[in-house]
Each structure stands twice: as structure tokens, then as C-alpha cells.
Amino acid sequence: MAALRLLLLAGTAEARQLAAALGGQPGIRVTASLAGATRMPEPLGVATRIGGFGGRAAFAEYLCRERVGAVLDATHPFAAAMSHRSAQVCAELGVAYAQVLRPAWRPHEGDCWEFLNTEADAQKHIPPGSTVFLATGRQTLGRFGDLSGRKVHARLTDPPSGPFPFEDGGWVVDRPPFGLDDEIRTFQRLRVDWLVVKNSGGSSSRAKLDAARALGLPVAMIRRPLQPEGPKLETVAAALTWARRHG
Ligand code: NAP
């Protein structure tokens, strides 16, 4: 029987673990796909294509041309456009689809979180005079709008390609993973008094929340976008079971 051609939509720690586990899996031929958002990404250890597909029709065409039998969507919970489109196109083409979606973070005793619907709400919660650390990534900085009167530190994985978009503050260029002690040191060094975070969930990037709790910092937590209909796999183990069932 021909091997299942599985497209792994990547861009997360879970995708990396799935690529490692599925790479040598008999009966499955996996190709990973990265959007190309990170320069010089660490290799995934499986065949990898990099860059957008070129829109919905081109994505559908790719699935047909490559005879993809299953799409495992391990994109980030905030990559909602890609997830909605993938779920819809797979349903139309009769390709198996499942989303690897880690549970959202929830506050625990000692946390001081304010929930935001969008980045634009940050200015309502964070008073002028604050020093703010944006751990939300490069692509959505333009959505914060006017943060004048606040000192803003925005963390990036790659060196910036444009001017700093806020009145006061600067870039913090650093590549994850960040441990609890790293995060505490960074927040103390920069005298941060507000942290802004996307509700990504999972363990690989939660040290910043533990650091905020340890330092008593308030957190502005951006809620997740609506996710597509379709099966949700909360763990890498569940995703592997799903892939093997289709292989
Ligand atoms: P998005 O808004 O949902 O998608 C925008 C476009 O990026 C898509 O239309 C598609 O372009 C392309 N794309 C997204 N994921 C892709 C993938 N895995 N392979 C090939 N093309 C992909 O996505 P985003 O929020 O910009 O995120 C881009 C990537 O960064 C995702 O893979 C995501 O996992 C990762 N990421 C995102 C965040 C975040 O906070 N959004 C955080 C960490 C990592 P075409 O229409 O040309 O096919």
C-alpha cells in the first residue's frame, strides 16, 4: 500500500516534536510546511517547504498535486487564517484534517491578569507612565495603536527590519526558549511593570507568566481568535495517534 502523504503545517514547538516523531514512521511520508516568518529556522529533520502557498486556490492545488491524504495543522493558535482556510479546503477536497491545539492558559492563584480581546485594548488597561514588555511577536505590533506615554520593550526573534513603531522604548532581540530565570532577569533589567502576552498555551513559552507571578507583575492577556470547526488534538501524543490511524 502507498504511504500516506501527510502535510504538517508547522511553526510551533509541537510541530517540531511531531516532525521528529513522524519522520521515520513506516506508512507515512511527511512534508512539513513553514510560513517563512522566522529567518534561518532550525531544520525540522523532514522534507520541508518554506513560504506561503499563495492563497486558498494555490493551497488546494498543492494538496491535489502532491496527493496529500492528511493535513495535521500544528500552526500557532493565533494563526487563525491558516487554520480556518486549511479546515475548509480539506473538507471540500475530502482530505483528513485535524488541528493540534494546546489548551489555553488559565490564571492561577497569585496571577494578576487582565483579558484583552485585541491588541488595541492594551491602551485601555495599561496606564501612561508604565514600562511595558510586549512578548507578542513582530507581526502584530501595528495593532497596538497609540501607546504613547508608555515605555515599550518589544521582543523579536530576528533582528528588526523596520523602525521601532512606538514613541519610547526599544527592541529586545532574543531567540526562545526562555527559562524562568532568564525572564525574571529580563523583566528586572528593563524595570518592566506590565507584560503583554498572547494566550498561546503550552509549556514551551509559559516561563514569562511564571516570572510575572514571581515578580507580582500584571499581565495583559490577549484572548485567542475563534478556531475552525473540526477535530482538536491537545497533545503531541494525541496527534501522533491520529496520524498513525490515517497511515
Ligand atoms: P496566518 O495569519 O494564519 O496566515 C497568514 C498566511 O501565512 C497564510 O495565508 C499562508 O499564506 C501563510 N502560512 C501560515 N502558516 C503557514 C504554514 N505553516 N505553511 C505555509 N504557509 C503558512 O498566520 P500567522 O499568524 O501569520 O503565522 C504564520 C506562521 O507563524 C504560522 O505557521 C504560525 O504557526 C507561526 N506562528 C504564529 C504566531 C502568531 O502569534 N500568529 C506565533 C508563533 C508562530 P498563503 O495564503 O500564501 O498560503
Side-chain angles (χ1 to χ4, degrees):
M1 213 170 70
L4 170 77
R5 295 188 182 198
L6 185 140
L7 177 66
L8 175 65
L9 296 175
T12 56
E14 287 85 347
R16 187 162 286 287
Q17 292 165 33
L18 285 164
L22 290 170
Q25 182 72 39
I28 299 180
R29 211 172 96 190
V30 59
T31 300
S33 176
L34 287 168
T38 303
R39 281 177 234 163
M40 308 277 292
E42 291 287 320
L44 288 163
V46 295
T48 303
R49 61 165 305 289
I50 299 182
F53 292 87
R56 184 191 176 94
F59 178 62
E61 199 188 304
Y62 174 91
L63 296 183
C64 296
R65 188 178 64 242
E66 298 296 326
R67 285 177 281 144
V68 172
V71 173
L72 194 47
D73 176 0
T75 58
H76 190 270
F78 279 73
M82 190 63 186
S83 291
H84 280 277
R85 183 184 82 190
S86 301
Q88 287 163 9
V89 169
C90 287
E92 284 161 20
L93 297 177
V95 171
Y97 170 87
Q99 194 184 6
V100 184
L101 190 67
R102 37 178 123 124
W105 288 318
R106 293 178 199 289
H108 295 290
E109 175 123 20
D111 284 327
C112 172
W113 293 7
E114 306 250 3
F115 284 91
L116 315 185
N117 289 326
T118 72
E119 286 82 351
D121 291 343
Q123 54 183 290
K124 294 186 215 150
H125 294 266
I126 302 175
S130 306
T131 297
V132 189
F133 190 90
L134 302 182
T136 48
R138 168 177 54 89
Q139 292 180 52
T140 47
L141 291 177
R143 296 186 194 161
F144 281 97
D146 182 13
L147 286 180
S148 54
R150 292 90 170 165
K151 186 164 195 167
V152 179
H153 297 285
R155 183 154 67 192
L156 302 182
T157 305
D158 291 312
S161 52
F164 189 67
F166 302 102
E167 180 188 85
D168 187 14
W171 302 111
V172 179
V173 181
D174 214 348
R175 207 166 256 233
F178 307 111
L180 176 62
D181 292 345
D182 305 324
E183 298 291 47
I184 288 179
R185 262 196 304 276
T186 300
F187 299 159
Q188 284 181 325
R189 176 174 58 82
L190 298 171
R191 300 178 186 279
V192 169
D193 46 32
W194 269 91
L195 173 65
V196 185
V197 170
K198 285 173 171 166
N199 198 335
S200 304
S203 55
S204 66
S205 65
R206 75 151 295 134
K208 54 185 175 271
L209 297 176
D210 298 332
R213 186 190 311 146
L215 297 173
L217 296 181
V219 174
M221 179 64 72
I222 301 170
R223 287 193 170 93
R224 288 181 175 189
L226 197 67
Q227 303 297 325
E229 298 284 319
K232 307 276 181 285
L233 308 164
E234 288 194 353
T235 61
V236 168
L240 283 174
T241 303
W242 183 90
R244 288 175 183 140
R245 195 154 41 82
H246 288 81

